Amino acid sequence: MLNENLKTIRRSKGLSQEELAIKLNVVRQTISKWEQGRSVPDAELLLALSEVLETPVSTLLGETVAEPEPDAIKALSEKLEVLNLQLARRKELRRKILHILCIALCAGVVLAFGVLFTVGSPYMAWNYQDPETAVMGTALHALEWLFVRTAPVLLIGGAAGAFLTRKRA
């Protein structure tokens, strides 16, 4: 058992007999004898061999070691499941926030139109001969003009956003 395992593990690590012998401070022929089954290493060399090959002594001696891969895969899949749930919750939260913002945008545009309609344009009756009211009246008139031009686009965009971010069953 030791001879076969030693040869297989040495090759899997990419080591030649000479390289392994140098690491263990023995001659190459000693490694060859171990791999041919003509001799076995003493306890001290067996431990050194285990360290150099980064393999447990029990594996070198042929003891079957249970592979933890299924447990590792199961643990990994559980972690991925938790991550997927967290990402799904985060995505749902973002969708809800965007939906609420789109509805708020629509409500704000409608409310602003309502205020403009109800109040009218009080600054139109201002005395534009006074420099302070002339500048303020012109600025308010420009803002109202800009709002009236952009509000339909904002309203349509907000309504489309609210529709597209609604919760689907």
Side-chain angles (χ1 to χ4, degrees):
M1 262 307 161
L2 174 66
N3 58 343
E4 295 168 5
N5 289 345
L6 176 59
K7 190 174 195 176
T8 305
I9 294 170
R10 176 184 58 80
R11 286 183 177 170
S12 72
K13 299 287 182 180
L15 294 171
S16 66
Q17 286 183 348
E18 184 70 30
E19 292 169 331
L20 183 58
I22 291 171
K23 290 184 179 196
L24 294 173
N25 294 323
V26 297
V27 294
R28 186 199 57 78
Q29 288 79 3
T30 304
I31 304 295
S32 178
K33 286 180 183 177
W34 292 345
E35 289 182 358
Q36 291 173 6
R38 294 190 303 171
S39 71
V40 293
D42 62 11
E44 188 177 314
L45 279 174
L46 191 59
L47 288 173
L49 191 60
S50 169
E51 288 177 20
V52 168
L53 295 176
E54 300 172 342
T55 305
V57 175
S58 59
T59 303
L60 287 172
L61 295 175
E63 191 174 299
T64 306
V65 179
E67 295 184 22
E69 285 186 32
D71 292 335
I73 292 173
K74 184 177 179 183
L76 182 61
S77 68
E78 288 173 357
K79 287 180 183 179
L80 287 174
E81 185 178 351
V82 169
L83 285 174
N84 282 335
L85 287 173
Q86 289 174 347
L87 289 173
R89 286 185 192 131
R90 193 174 296 159
K91 184 177 178 182
E92 179 65 17
L93 179 64
R94 285 183 188 146
R95 185 203 59 78
K96 284 180 182 178
I97 290 171
L98 185 60
H99 185 72
I100 290 170
L101 287 175
C102 288
I103 290 174
L105 176 66
C106 290
V109 168
V110 169
L111 182 67
F113 261 122
V115 168
L116 285 175
F117 182 74
T118 304
V119 175
S121 295
Y123 54 86
M124 292 296 215
W126 288 356
N127 179 7
Y128 285 96
Q129 300 302 321
D130 183 11
E132 289 181 17
T133 57
V135 171
M136 183 62 94
T138 305
L140 287 174
H141 185 69
L143 285 174
E144 183 180 358
W145 181 87
L146 184 64
F147 175 75
V148 169
R149 299 294 183 250
T150 60
V153 174
L154 292 174
L155 186 62
I156 291 169
F163 177 76
L164 292 174
T165 58
R166 74 189 186 287
K167 186 172 184 173
R168 296 178 182 101

